[in-house]
């Protein structure tokens, strides 16, 4: 995505810093056609097709390759008869044994998938079986056998079915050189033949892939979706964790969903947290109407949900732009707030000067949200269309094109289902809430911090390129009772990668506040 957006971002970044006589409309006119053209050029990755289905055959999520090569769409039902052999019922097989299935792809391709029932057998993970080494094997092959990068490339070609001559032609090498490398690989691995070597490494790669994919896709504590009329207002909210546990009022981020990973909801249950999270205006089923103040509406809906649950106080938690909403609630209802947890923290912004530390893409988004909200909404909708067309696995590139750490973290296959869930929350109203959040990131609410007298815990990932550590430190210094938590191995994607860390702090804060 960096290559696709680079020229566009460069153009806008130059215009932002240009003399004032440069008009905003000039920037818009120069970008519109180019943006659509470049978005169409997103290259297909080398990942296998991944498909997650429930036991009814409903496709819960799929990556871009699966959407391209299979006649399926997310939200569509796939009949068991479309598999060969027919998809077995969960009650008729050992839950721990994977199943090989053949699926008819587009253009009459017959594709082989490894199927694995997850958790209690409610969901089926399908992973395409493709020739080639798993990326997860690179380090083990170096550590165990001492294979060099060149030898690993040649081994990868062998697994794909290429012979020495084909490998030499592909790599522009001498055939004799390739044969010497193959001989070295056989000696290092103690394999008696190329066939045995290929069999061993292919099996090991498939096993590592399956373990990695299953890590965060096990069944967890479900979310209860409520659509309640509370004091005359229709409030859609989610509730999960342990009923009667430590109350946590949760304001979700722009693209991080409402605790979309099963493992996070399970942690909330184990820790004894009772979590209520409204779908903020513009997300899910909560409408964002013209001239509506989304912050005021969200915090008052959250207060009604608290009252409905019988809570007197709660730990207030905000993710990303949810930081703004959490602070607004604690400031408006201090008597109902035990403590405040924010991670990844998004501080107030005083103006475009505060964006100088940001990567170009994020700086351009901030400018567009300030100067041209209609253009910002158009950009969001173009991105939504591309995700619907090419799969949720392009989301990390769209969100973090020039923030390498977060892009690489969210590109891991284990976050696929969580990305799909978060995407569904955003697109329920065609990105209205997300667009408005871009506007809110530019709001200057520094004055709110001076009189907020309750324990506040600010979490910041030290690998974040989206938010400057100095801005979070400044925020902590201004708050009367703040603690700054710097997480070395985290970025701005902390709500996905470190949800358990934030939940543990919520429990500590609740206990210290007398729960």
């Amino acid at each position: 995505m960096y290559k696709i957006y680079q020229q566009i971002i460069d153009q806008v970044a130059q215009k932002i810093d240009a003399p004032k006589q440069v008009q905003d409309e000039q920037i818009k006119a120069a970008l519109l056609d180019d943006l659509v053209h470049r978005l169409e050029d997103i290259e297909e990755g080398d990942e296998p097709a991944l498909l997650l289905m429930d036991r009814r055959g409903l496709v819960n999520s799929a990556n871009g390759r699966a959407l391209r090569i299979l006649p399926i769409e997310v939200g569509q039902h796939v009949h068991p008869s479309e598999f060969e052999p027919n998809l077995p019922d969960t009650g008729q097989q050992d839950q721990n044994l994977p199943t090989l299935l053949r699926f008819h792809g587009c253009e009459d391709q017959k594709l082989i998938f490894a199927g694995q029932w997850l958790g209690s057998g409610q969901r089926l993970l399908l992973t395409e079986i493709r020739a080639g080494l798993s990326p997860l094997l690179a380090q083990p092959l170096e550590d165990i056998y001492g294979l060099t990068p060149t030898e690993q490339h040649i081994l990868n070609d062998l697994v794909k079915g290429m012979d020495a001559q084909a490998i030499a032609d592909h790599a522009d090498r001498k055939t004799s050189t390739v044969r010497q490398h193959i001989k070295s690989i056989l000696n290092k691995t103690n394999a008696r033949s190329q066939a045995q070597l290929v069999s061993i490494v292919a099996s090991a790669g498939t096993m590592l892939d399956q373990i990695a994919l299953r890590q965060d896709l096990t069944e967890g504590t479900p979310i209860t979706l409520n659509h309640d009329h509370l004091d005359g207002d229709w409030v859609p909210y989610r509730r999960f964790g342990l009923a009667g546990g430590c109350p946590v009022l949760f304001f979700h981020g722009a693209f991080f969903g409402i605790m979309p990973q099963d493992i996070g909801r399970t942690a909330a249950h184990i820790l004894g947290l009772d979590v209520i999270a409204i779908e903020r205006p513009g997300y899910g089923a909560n409408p964002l109407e013209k001239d509506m103040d989304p912050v005021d509406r969200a915090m008052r809906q959250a207060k009604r949900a608290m009252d409905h649950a019988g809570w007197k106080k709660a730990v207030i938690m905000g993710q990303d732009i949810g930081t703004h909403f959490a602070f607004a609630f604690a400031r408006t209802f201090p008597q109902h707030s035990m403590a405040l947890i924010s991670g990844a923290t998004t501080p107030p912004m005083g103006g475009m000067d505060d964006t100088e530390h940001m990567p170009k893409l994020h700086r351009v988004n901030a400018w567009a949200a300030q100067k041209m909200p209609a253009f910002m909404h158009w950009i969001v909708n173009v991105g939504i269309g591309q995700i619907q067309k090419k799969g949720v696995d392009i989301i990390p590139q769209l969100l973090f094109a020039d923030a390498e750490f977060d892009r690489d973290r969210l590109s891991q296959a284990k976050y696929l289902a969580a990305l799909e869930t978060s995407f569904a929350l955003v697109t329920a109203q065609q990105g209205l809430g997300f667009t408005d959040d871009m506007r809110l990131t530019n709001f200057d609410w520094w004055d709110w911090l001076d009189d907020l007298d309750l324990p506040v815990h600010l979490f910041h990932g030290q690998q974040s390129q989206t938010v400057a550590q100095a801005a979070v430190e400044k925020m902590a210094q201004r708050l009367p009772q703040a603690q700054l938590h710097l997480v070395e191995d985290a970025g701005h994607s902390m709500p996905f990668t470190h949800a358990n860390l934030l939940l543990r702090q919520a429990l500590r804060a609740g206990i210290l506040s007398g729960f």
Side-chain angles (χ1 to χ4, degrees):
M1 197 61 211
Y2 179 81
K3 293 179 181 178
I4 298 165
Y5 270 119
Q6 188 58 54
Q7 183 177 348
I8 298 171
I9 301 308
D10 285 344
Q11 289 176 359
V12 176
Q14 291 172 9
K15 297 293 186 182
I16 290 172
D17 296 323
K20 295 299 182 182
Q21 61 265 28
V22 175
Q23 298 298 310
D24 294 335
E25 285 298 329
Q26 290 179 271
I27 304 174
K28 180 178 179 180
L31 295 180
L32 288 179
D33 293 337
D34 199 33
L35 180 60
V36 176
H37 175 72
R38 289 172 181 277
L39 280 171
E40 293 294 336
D41 293 334
I42 295 177
E43 297 181 0
E44 178 179 332
D46 194 37
E47 77 286 352
L50 300 174
L51 193 63
L52 191 65
M53 301 167 47
D54 66 20
R55 61 184 306 172
R56 300 168 299 164
L58 181 70
V59 178
N60 298 145
S61 62
N63 67 351
R65 176 169 168 78
L67 292 173
R68 284 186 288 271
I69 68 174
L70 300 176
I72 55 98
E73 294 179 3
V74 175
Q76 169 188 329
H77 280 86
V78 178
H79 195 273
S81 63
E82 297 189 39
F83 293 95
E84 297 177 9
N86 288 358
L87 188 64
D89 182 79
T90 55
Q92 299 176 351
Q93 67 166 17
D94 186 331
Q95 297 295 323
N96 295 319
L97 293 178
T99 304
L100 282 182
L101 299 165
R102 186 162 64 175
F103 195 111
H104 290 275
C106 299
E107 300 179 358
D108 202 31
Q109 299 180 75
K110 292 186 177 180
L111 305 161
I112 305 299
F113 286 82
Q116 179 73 58
W117 291 102
L118 303 176
S120 57
Q122 296 303 307
R123 293 189 295 173
L124 178 69
L125 174 66
L126 294 171
T127 307
E128 181 188 9
I129 302 298
R130 300 178 67 190
L133 292 181
S134 163
L136 297 177
L137 269 178
Q139 195 61 48
L141 288 174
E142 180 181 342
D143 294 341
I144 297 173
Y145 297 117
L147 296 191
T148 67
T150 298
E151 289 171 341
Q152 292 199 35
H153 285 138
I154 291 174
L155 178 55
N156 185 42
D157 288 340
L158 289 174
V159 175
K160 290 179 178 178
M162 299 170 66
D163 60 18
Q165 183 63 58
I167 295 172
D169 292 342
H170 180 258
D172 195 23
R173 295 172 178 268
K174 293 181 180 179
T175 306
S176 58
T177 302
V178 172
R179 289 200 176 102
Q180 282 299 117
H181 281 301
I182 293 174
K183 183 177 179 181
S184 173
I185 295 169
L186 290 171
N187 288 335
K188 288 180 178 181
T189 59
N190 294 318
R192 293 190 297 272
S193 66
Q194 290 185 32
Q196 183 190 46
L197 171 67
V198 168
S199 175
I200 291 172
V201 297
S203 299
T206 299
M207 183 177 295
L208 288 177
D209 285 341
Q210 287 293 320
I211 292 171
L213 288 168
R214 291 185 62 193
Q215 180 176 345
D216 283 334
L217 290 175
T218 54
E219 292 296 322
T221 304
I223 286 182
T224 301
L225 179 59
N226 301 275
H227 297 83
D228 292 341
H229 287 274
L230 306 180
D231 295 335
D233 190 10
W234 191 72
V235 182
Y237 65 95
R238 316 288 181 95
R239 191 169 184 176
F240 59 93
L242 181 66
C246 178
V248 176
L249 192 62
F250 182 94
F251 293 96
H252 65 80
F255 217 115
F256 295 116
I258 299 177
M259 203 62 65
Q261 292 175 268
D262 289 336
I263 193 170
R265 299 195 297 275
T266 301
H269 187 274
I270 293 172
L271 291 169
L273 302 176
D274 189 356
V275 184
I276 285 179
I278 68 162
E279 295 177 342
R280 294 197 286 105
Y283 290 86
N286 199 354
L288 178 59
E289 300 167 359
K290 187 177 180 180
D291 299 325
M292 175 187 289
D293 181 344
V295 179
D296 182 75
R297 179 173 173 81
M299 67 179 180
R300 296 191 185 281
Q301 287 182 324
K303 176 60 169 58
R304 283 193 284 272
M306 276 185 64
D307 293 342
H308 186 68
W311 294 358
K312 300 299 183 184
K313 285 189 172 186
V315 175
I316 315 302
M317 178 178 285
Q319 298 177 338
D320 180 49
I321 187 61
T323 302
H324 185 148
F325 289 78
F327 273 85
F329 185 94
R331 180 172 180 261
T332 304
F333 302 107
Q335 70 276 24
H336 301 295
S337 305
M338 296 184 197
L340 195 154
I341 313 293
S342 175
T345 302
T346 298
M349 188 182 295
M352 282 304 296
D353 289 345
D354 291 349
T355 70
E356 291 182 355
H357 69 278
M358 292 181 179
K360 289 179 182 178
L361 174 61
H362 294 274
R363 193 170 188 227
V364 167
N365 286 341
W367 172 86
Q370 281 187 15
K371 302 290 186 179
M372 290 179 179
F375 181 44
M376 186 70 228
H377 186 58
W378 182 86
I379 291 175
V380 170
N381 274 283
V382 170
I384 287 173
Q386 290 301 305
I387 296 168
Q388 289 171 332
K389 178 181 177 182
K390 301 188 177 183
V392 297
D393 45 344
I394 72 168
I395 289 175
Q397 297 174 326
L398 287 169
L399 293 182
F400 297 108
D402 44 8
E404 182 178 354
F405 180 87
D406 285 309
R407 184 191 67 225
D408 291 348
R409 280 296 178 94
L410 290 190
S411 294
Q412 296 177 33
K414 63 182 179 179
Y415 296 119
L416 176 68
L419 287 173
E420 183 65 58
T421 301
S422 300
F423 183 60
L425 189 70
V426 171
T427 55
Q429 296 183 56
Q430 282 300 303
L432 281 177
F434 184 88
T435 302
D436 197 68
D437 282 346
M438 297 302 100
R439 176 186 66 84
L440 288 173
T441 58
N442 299 295
F443 190 79
D444 185 349
W445 46 279
W446 283 104
D447 290 345
W448 294 6
L449 309 182
D450 297 330
D451 56 356
L452 196 65
D453 195 17
L454 83 165
V456 176
H457 296 270
L458 304 177
F459 283 81
H460 176 73
Q462 291 187 288
Q463 305 302 320
S464 175
Q465 296 170 268
T466 306
V467 173
Q469 181 173 316
V472 185
E473 291 173 344
K474 175 184 173 183
M475 192 176 176
Q477 292 167 2
R478 190 154 175 175
L479 287 159
Q481 296 188 55
Q483 289 187 39
L484 176 61
H485 304 266
L486 300 177
V487 186
E488 183 178 357
D489 62 336
H492 198 67
S493 55
M494 185 186 299
F496 274 171
T497 61
H498 290 73
N500 294 358
L501 176 66
L502 303 174
L503 292 171
R504 287 197 297 270
Q505 186 59 57
L507 177 61
R508 292 191 194 99
I511 292 172
L512 291 174
S513 298
F515 170 74

